[in-house]
Amino acid sequence: MDDGSQRQRPGEPGSRPRSGRGGRRRRSVVPASRPARGVGAKARARTAGTAVRRAGDHDGAAVNRGLRVAAAYAWRLLLLGVAVYAVFTILGRLQLVGVALFLALVVTSVLRPLADLLARRLPRAAAVALSVVGSLIVVLGLLVLVGGLIAGESTRLGQEFSGGIGRIQRWLEGSPFHVSHSVLSDLQGKVSTFVSQHRSELISSVLSGAGRLVEVLTAAALALFCSFFFMHSGDKYWSWFQDLMPEGARDTWGRAGRAAWRTFAGYTRGIIIVAASNAVLVGIALFALRVPLALPLMLLEFFAAFVPLIGSPIALAVATVVALAARGPVIAIVVLALIVIVGQIEGHVLHPLVLGWAVRLHPVVVALSVITGTILAGVVGAVVSVPMVSVAWSVLSELRVPRARPEPDHPGRSPD
């Protein structure tokens, strides 16, 4: 009889292991009877992770994630604002040097193509010197011509302005304004009284303006001096600067520098073309309307166009006052309408056509940049603000584009 009921299976409690070959007993291991090696460490790590998650959940319940992200951005923006303020403070102390360097870069961007063209036939130094000196002679000759015209017509212009003031007064007294003669007389008396009472302050303002003129001439001389070397050896200076950077950062600095110079040079040449176009249009209209001081007003329009949005209307407002005093209200209204026409041509034709490829800024950004620059640094800030913002945006856009990495060569692949 098979005693199956008495037989016990291996691995059950009370069972005896069978003897293997050679009389040695085989030890049977019950699964999960002993923890494997490292299981305790994993359990402890899992427990620690659960505690960390619970602590994070408790922290998240106390401080909202959105608030933590906002705080992280806030202190970074605060540091950035402090850095920008420090830069503007240093530039404010060194405003003369900053203006001179800016003018030197402007001159370099404008005259560099001419110098490169002359360098094909002349030595580099002679080509740069001829470009700088020739342009300086042209600008000084134009200023001397304008000064001679104003000095030669000063007597006639004085008589025209005196008669023009009388015509303006009669125009205001008539329809549709009907301003009382006594009101205009009181206004003239108040103006005369103000001038007589504040004569010393006006004289001091003129003298301070003369001091500013000396600073302007100093900045212009320094700008010409720097522009000569920038046009002659600008590439070497940039290579030397790149060699000072760490090797891993040289490519990034090179991309940023090329993007910045491309945008700055394009903006400078484009704004000169826009300013010259505006000046030509205004000059043709003023000569056709026989408004006096047409050539000086053309130059005023040219230089005022370097301040976007507000420069050209201010220059044309001065031309409107001159036309009102010299030619009467009808011609003044025509010149006033010229402000709208030139503004439309500049905004919808010249800027997109000439500056569209170099400057890609929204008009709101341009307006805010001009106003902010005017508040911080006056007229200089209004002129410099838009090119600075354009260059900064161009560099940021260039660095955001990932650099294309060359693919590794594979056997059998065509070079094309």
Side-chain angles (χ1 to χ4, degrees), residues 19-44:
S19 299
R21 183 176 299 178
R24 298 179 61 183
R25 295 182 177 179
R26 295 176 60 188
R27 179 179 295 178
S28 63
V29 179
V30 179
S33 61
R34 291 176 57 186
R37 186 177 184 180
V39 173
K42 293 181 180 179
R44 288 192 297 271

Side-chain angles (χ1 to χ4, degrees), residues 45-239:
R46 189 181 302 110
T47 304
T50 304
V52 170
R53 285 195 298 271
R54 290 178 179 175
D57 295 339
H58 179 72
D59 189 18
V63 180
N64 195 324
R65 182 179 180 277
L67 184 59
R68 294 201 307 269
V69 173
Y73 275 105
W75 71 262
R76 288 175 173 85
L77 291 176
L78 183 62
L79 290 179
L80 183 61
V82 171
V84 172
Y85 178 78
V87 170
F88 273 97
T89 302
I90 295 174
L91 290 178
R93 296 293 182 87
L94 303 174
Q95 186 176 6
L96 181 63
V97 178
V99 171
L101 289 177
F102 179 79
L103 292 177
L105 293 176
V106 170
V107 173
T108 303
S109 63
V110 174
L111 297 182
R112 178 68 180 269
L114 178 61
D116 293 339
L117 182 62
L118 294 176
R120 298 178 180 178
R121 300 294 182 87
L122 299 174
R124 183 70 183 178
V128 172
L130 183 60
S131 302
V132 173
V133 174
S135 302
L136 184 62
I137 291 175
V138 171
V139 173
L140 291 179
L142 188 59
L143 294 178
V144 170
L145 176 62
V146 172
L149 290 176
I150 296 176
E153 299 182 1
S154 59
T155 304
R156 185 177 65 85
L157 291 175
Q159 295 175 356
E160 288 185 357
F161 280 125
S162 298
I165 293 175
R167 287 194 297 269
I168 293 173
Q169 183 175 355
R170 291 191 297 271
W171 178 53
L172 293 175
E173 291 176 357
S175 178
F177 299 101
H178 299 290
V179 180
S180 176
H181 180 74
S182 60
V183 174
L184 296 177
S185 300
D186 293 340
L187 181 61
Q188 291 180 0
K190 290 180 180 180
V191 172
S192 302
T193 304
F194 177 82
V195 172
S196 61
Q197 290 178 353
H198 298 81
R199 183 174 300 174
S200 60
E201 297 179 2
L202 294 175
I203 293 175
S204 63
S205 299
V206 172
L207 293 178
S208 64
R212 298 289 295 180
L213 179 61
V214 174
E215 293 182 1
V216 169
L217 294 177
T218 304
L222 181 59
L224 290 177
F225 179 77
C226 294
S227 62
F228 178 85
F229 291 98
F230 288 168
M231 285 189 288
H232 183 269
S233 305
D235 297 335
K236 296 180 181 179
Y237 295 157
W238 180 247
S239 299

